């Protein structure tokens, strides 16, 4: 009986000794709920079998644990599990390092589960004093429709911000996004991505250095110069130099629609379209705009440009033509000649050989320098042949002298009327 009584007292002493050390390690509010057996020597305290610890709202489970007295370090392993009301963490190892930051570390393939959130990483660090949560190596983060891959992902419990600084790939709503830096604001429900941002989908690649995405509005705002390029089926950039650039842009995810608000440029088959505001409908593959100028980079010596001053324009990427509506007013400059056109509809066809064809319907006013004015039903300008053709009983005024006929042609290279 005395020996049994002695063993019971000895076990209670060991258990008390362990709790004192654990309290010192985890600061306060620590409880040993269960352990199968305890062993002790001068260097460490060894717990074996079905270990259950409670620290504040956290319950920690593992198969075995060692506490090293001199270095004040706790190490547990074998089916490690942490459970709270909001989250669960599973790993092979758990470690507590008592340094200035007091680190609680899960390693060996760690998994975290919360409502609408999953996190996988080789190591998960919890800096208790800093209130900072960190996932390291082979990090994969899931939240609702977001999938994120990176090397280091951190979460600040005080500011409720999730962030990375060493690059991450994000998959969201069929978009693949890369950026060097990123911040997720939990309270504001928005994301900021910076430095080398790339947005990929099956048709386009977008480049920028600073974007912001609102989860509620489902709008991506681009705050630095952005470039949109077409991608081919192999997800490489199109071999041509066709792209859209803008100093400021918004992308509406649900409608698949871009709105460019500030100084945009469209580079297409050697032509440059410049304007102030533009809407790019990705579903319809159409670009609509107000006010536009066109510069032909392939004919800089010819000094050709087109200025769209009034009306409404649509650039159809499927049919490859530019349509100007609502009584558009445009100026065309070729060498020293300045042509002003006011009509009902203007169509500009961009050809593969870097030329274009302009069809003007119901020409209300066609002014070729200060001496020549024209009215007609149809006007066709061929940039390759450098000729303007007039159809539909055109009327021409040359120095206030009236000429009419069925058809006329004007050679811009020599400015000769036939």
């Amino acid at each position: 009986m005395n020996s049994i009584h002695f063993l019971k007292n000895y076990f209670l002493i060991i258990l008390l000794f362990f709790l004192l050390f654990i309290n010192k390690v985890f600061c306060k509010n620590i409880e040993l709920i269960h352990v199968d057996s305890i062993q002790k020597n001068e260097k460490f305290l060894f717990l074996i079998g079905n270990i259950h610890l409670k620290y504040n709202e956290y319950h920690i489970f593992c198969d075995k644990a060692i506490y090293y007295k001199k270095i004040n370090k706790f190490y547990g392993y074998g089916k490690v599990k942490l459970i709270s009301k909001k989250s669960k963490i599973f790993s092979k190892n758990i470690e507590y390092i008592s340094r200035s930051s007091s680190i609680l570390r899960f390693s060996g393939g760690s998994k975290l589960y919360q409502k609408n959130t999953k996190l996988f990483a080789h190591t998960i660090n919890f800096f208790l004093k800093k209130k900072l949560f960190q996932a390291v190596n082979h990090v994969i983060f899931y939240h609702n429709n977001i999938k994120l891959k990176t090397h280091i992902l951190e979460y600040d419990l005080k500011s409720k911000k999730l962030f990375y600084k060493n690059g991450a790939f994000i998959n969201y709503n069929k978009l693949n996004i890369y950026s060097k830096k990123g911040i997720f604001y939990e309270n504001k429900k928005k994301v900021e991505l910076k430095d080398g941002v790339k947005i990929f989908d099956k048709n386009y690649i977008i480049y920028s250095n600073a974007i912001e995405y609102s989860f509620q509005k489902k709008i991506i705002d681009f705050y630095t110069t952005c470039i949109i390029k077409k991608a081919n089926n192999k997800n490489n950039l199109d071999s041509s130099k066709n792209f859209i650039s803008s100093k400021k842009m918004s992308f509406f995810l649900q409608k698949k629609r871009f709105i460019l608000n500030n100084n945009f440029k469209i580079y297409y088959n050697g032509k440059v379209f410049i304007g102030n505001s533009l809407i790019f409908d990705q579903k319809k593959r159409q670009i609509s705009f107000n006010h536009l100028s066109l510069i032909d980079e392939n004919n800089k010596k010819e000094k050709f440009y087109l200025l769209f001053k009034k009306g409404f324009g649509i650039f159809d990427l499927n049919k490859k033509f530019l349509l100007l509506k609502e009584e558009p007013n445009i100026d065309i400059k070729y060498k020293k000649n300045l042509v002003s056109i006011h009509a009902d509809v203007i169509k500009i066809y961009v050809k593969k050989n870097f030329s274009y064809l302009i069809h003007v319907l119901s020409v209300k006013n066609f002014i070729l320098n200060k001496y020549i004015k024209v009215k007609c039903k149809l006007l066709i300008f061929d940039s390759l042949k450098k000729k303007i053709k007039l159809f539909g009983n055109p009327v021409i005024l040359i120095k206030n002298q009236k000429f009419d006929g069925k058809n006329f042609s004007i050679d811009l290279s020599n400015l000769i009327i036939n």
Side-chain angles (χ1 to χ4, degrees):
M1 292 292 294
N2 291 332
S3 61
I4 294 173
H5 183 71
F6 172 77
L7 289 173
K8 287 183 178 178
N9 288 336
Y10 179 76
F11 178 78
L12 290 173
I13 291 170
I14 292 296
L15 182 58
L16 179 61
F17 178 81
F18 171 74
L19 289 174
L20 288 172
F21 276 109
I22 292 296
N23 273 316
K24 185 177 181 181
V25 173
F26 290 93
C27 302
K28 60 182 179 179
N29 299 330
I30 188 74
E31 291 182 68
L32 176 61
I33 305 299
H34 179 83
V35 62
D36 289 347
S37 63
I38 301 174
Q39 296 178 3
K40 162 187 174 295
N41 62 26
E42 294 180 356
K43 295 182 179 180
F44 61 81
L45 194 66
F46 191 31
L47 284 72
I48 303 173
N50 298 312
I51 301 167
H52 180 187
L53 303 173
K54 185 174 182 295
Y55 173 66
N56 291 337
E57 75 273 22
Y58 303 105
H59 291 265
I60 301 172
F61 303 85
C62 60
D63 292 336
K64 296 179 182 179
I66 302 174
Y67 173 69
Y68 296 91
K69 180 180 177 182
K70 289 185 178 180
I71 58 175
N72 197 21
K73 180 178 179 180
F74 173 82
Y75 179 74
Y77 54 96
K79 296 181 181 179
V80 175
K81 181 168 58 176
L82 181 144
I83 298 176
S84 69
K85 291 182 179 179
K86 295 183 179 180
S87 61
K88 294 180 181 179
I89 299 177
F90 301 90
S91 69
K92 293 181 180 179
N93 309 304
I94 183 171
E95 184 178 5
Y96 177 83
I97 304 170
S98 180
R99 295 175 182 166
S100 58
S101 297
S102 297
I103 305 172
L104 185 63
R105 175 175 295 158
F106 300 85
S107 61
S110 304
K111 302 175 183 178
L112 181 146
Y113 298 93
Q114 284 185 348
K115 184 180 180 181
N116 301 325
T117 300
K118 293 187 292 184
L119 175 67
F120 305 104
H122 180 272
T123 303
I124 296 176
N125 297 317
F126 184 22
F127 297 86
L128 299 172
K129 292 183 179 179
K130 293 181 179 179
K131 299 294 183 182
L132 182 68
F133 187 87
Q134 182 188 70
V136 182
N137 291 334
H138 307 293
V139 179
I140 303 176
F141 172 77
Y142 296 91
H143 180 74
N144 293 330
N145 296 326
I146 296 174
K147 179 182 178 182
L148 183 149
K149 290 184 178 181
T150 186
H151 295 295
I152 301 176
L153 185 66
E154 298 181 318
Y155 179 68
D156 191 322
L157 295 174
K158 294 179 181 178
S159 60
K160 293 188 177 181
K161 292 191 298 186
L162 185 74
F163 57 93
Y164 57 87
K165 300 178 181 179
N166 298 302
F169 288 91
I170 303 169
N171 181 268
Y172 178 69
N173 278 359
K174 297 181 180 181
L175 289 178
N176 294 303
I177 305 171
Y178 171 83
S179 71
K180 188 175 180 181
K181 298 178 182 178
I183 304 175
F184 290 69
Y185 295 89
E186 184 179 336
N187 292 333
K188 297 179 181 180
K189 295 183 179 180
K190 70 174 186 176
V191 177
E192 290 181 359
L193 305 181
K194 296 181 180 180
D195 295 351
V197 181
K198 297 178 185 179
I199 300 177
F200 305 81
D201 81 348
K202 63 181 181 180
N203 297 313
Y204 300 96
I205 302 176
I206 307 171
Y207 300 84
S208 182
N209 274 323
I211 72 172
E212 180 179 298
Y213 174 64
S214 169
F215 289 99
Q216 293 178 330
K217 297 179 181 179
K218 297 187 183 300
I219 300 173
I220 299 177
D221 291 311
F222 297 77
Y223 292 110
T224 62
T225 299
C226 53
I227 293 174
I228 307 173
K229 285 192 175 184
K230 184 180 178 181
N232 62 21
N233 294 331
K234 295 181 180 179
N235 290 326
N236 294 321
L237 292 181
D238 193 349
S239 58
S240 66
K241 296 181 180 180
N242 299 339
F243 63 92
I244 300 172
S245 71
S246 177
K247 290 186 177 181
K248 190 176 181 182
M249 183 175 74
S250 296
F251 179 40
F252 294 77
L253 266 71
Q254 290 183 330
K255 295 181 180 180
K256 296 291 182 182
R257 185 176 295 171
F258 296 91
I259 296 181
L260 286 65
N261 298 314
N262 191 2
N263 298 327
F264 70 84
K265 292 182 180 180
I266 303 172
Y267 295 82
Y268 186 77
N269 286 353
K271 314 296 184 298
V272 183
F273 300 88
I274 302 172
N276 292 321
S277 61
L278 174 148
I279 298 175
F280 175 30
D281 192 318
Q282 190 175 346
K283 291 181 179 179
K284 295 181 180 179
R285 285 177 55 80
Q286 287 185 347
I287 299 171
S288 56
F289 51 85
N290 292 312
H291 308 297
L292 188 76
S293 61
L294 182 151
I295 300 171
D296 193 338
E297 287 194 330
N298 296 295
N299 292 308
K300 288 183 178 179
K301 293 181 180 180
E302 306 285 357
K303 294 182 179 179
F304 175 89
Y305 79 82
L306 181 147
L307 178 62
F308 172 46
K309 300 186 293 184
K310 180 184 176 183
F312 175 77
I314 296 176
F315 189 75
D316 193 312
L317 296 174
N318 294 315
K319 298 179 180 178
K320 297 182 179 179
F321 71 82
L322 178 65
L323 178 65
L324 308 180
K325 301 191 298 183
E326 297 181 4
E327 298 187 0
N329 191 349
I330 66 171
D331 287 344
I332 300 174
K333 185 175 183 181
Y334 180 74
K335 290 185 176 180
K336 295 181 180 180
N337 302 311
L338 180 62
V339 180
S340 294
I341 302 174
H342 183 203
D344 287 340
V345 176
I346 300 174
K347 286 185 179 181
I348 302 174
Y349 296 87
V350 182
K351 298 182 178 181
K352 292 183 179 179
N353 57 358
F354 303 110
S355 65
Y356 42 88
L357 196 66
I358 300 176
H359 287 193
V360 185
L361 303 177
S362 298
V363 181
K364 296 185 176 182
N365 201 2
F366 175 88
I367 302 173
L368 180 59
N369 64 48
K370 62 183 179 179
Y371 302 110
I372 302 174
K373 297 181 180 180
V374 177
K375 289 184 179 182
C376 64
K377 292 182 179 179
L378 174 63
L379 180 151
I380 298 177
F381 171 61
D382 191 324
S383 69
L384 189 62
K385 296 179 180 180
K386 301 179 179 62
K387 287 186 178 181
I388 296 176
K389 292 184 178 181
L390 309 174
F391 302 93
N393 300 319
V395 177
I396 300 178
L397 293 175
I398 302 176
K399 293 183 178 180
N400 295 323
Q401 292 186 14
K402 184 178 179 181
F403 298 88
D404 56 16
K406 292 183 178 179
N407 302 309
F408 282 97
S409 65
I410 301 173
D411 190 331
L412 286 179
S413 40
N414 297 310
L415 198 57
I416 297 173
I417 300 178
N418 297 320

